[in-house]
């Protein structure tokens, strides 16, 4: 799979649904948690990105239900998305390890 870096919003969305399927609001909340409040994804941006990721077969609709008269979809990582996210995580880890090594830092001490 492509070893090119994903844009951060895409990386965050895929990470947010890597462990369990989530609906849009829960994905946005999870992105806030993952980024430690640094990234807040607006509704229009999130749903536009989810549509693009659906078209690319990186995410899939897990379930659809009507809640309070509105359709609510939950999204899950598709097999292609899981493969891409795993490759990205490995790429990021390699880069972080090398940066830590070159800075002479103990990798266990780096948590930020």
């Amino acid at each position: 799979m492509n070893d090119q870096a994903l844009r951060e919003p895409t990386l965050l969305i895929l990470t947010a649904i890597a462990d369990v399927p989530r609906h849009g609001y829960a994905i946005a909340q999870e992105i806030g948690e993952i980024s430690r409040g640094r990234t807040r994804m607006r509704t229009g941006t999130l749903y536009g990105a989810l549509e693009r990721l659906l078209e690319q077969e990186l995410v899939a609709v897990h379930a659809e239900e009507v809640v309070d008269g509105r359709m609510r979809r939950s999204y899950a990582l598709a097999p292609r998305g899981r493969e891409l996210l795993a490759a990205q995580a490995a790429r990021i880890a390699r880069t972080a390890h090398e940066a830590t090594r070159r800075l002479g830092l103990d990798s266990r001490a780096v948590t930020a």
Side-chain angles (χ1 to χ4, degrees), residues 36 100 104-112:
R36 296 183 178 164
T100 301
L105 302 173
D106 181 355
S107 63
R108 293 169 297 195
V110 179
T111 60

Side-chain angles (χ1 to χ4, degrees), residues 5 10 23 27 36 38 59 76-77 107:
T10 301
H23 57 80
I27 293 171
R36 296 183 178 164
R38 188 179 40 64
V59 303
L77 205 54
S107 63

Side-chain angles (χ1 to χ4, degrees), residues 27-83:
I27 293 171
Q29 293 298 111
E30 196 68 16
I31 286 170
E33 289 289 320
I34 293 165
S35 69
R36 296 183 178 164
R38 188 179 40 64
T39 301
R40 294 180 56 135
M41 192 154 297
R42 294 178 185 209
T43 304
T45 302
L46 175 61
Y47 285 104
L50 285 168
E51 285 301 317
R52 179 178 50 80
L53 295 171
L54 280 166
E55 290 172 8
Q56 295 173 343
E57 298 179 344
L58 298 175
V59 303
V61 174
H62 175 73
E64 293 180 317
E65 61 182 332
V66 177
V67 177
D68 295 329
R70 297 178 65 183
M71 179 63 75
R72 181 164 78 175
R73 281 182 168 178
S74 61
Y75 299 88
L77 205 54
R80 281 178 45 118
R82 183 167 297 283
E83 183 180 328

Side-chain angles (χ1 to χ4, degrees), residues 83-105:
E83 183 180 328
L84 179 60
L85 183 58
Q88 291 295 302
R91 183 190 61 75
I92 292 166
R94 285 190 306 272
T95 302
H97 174 77
E98 187 61 19
T100 301
R101 184 188 71 75
R102 289 178 183 220
L103 288 168
L105 302 173

Side-chain angles (χ1 to χ4, degrees), residues 4-22:
Q4 185 176 354
L6 289 175
R7 292 188 357 228
E8 187 171 27
T10 301
L11 179 64
L12 289 169
I13 291 168
L14 296 179
T15 302
I17 61 174
D19 53 349
V20 297
R22 290 186 167 83

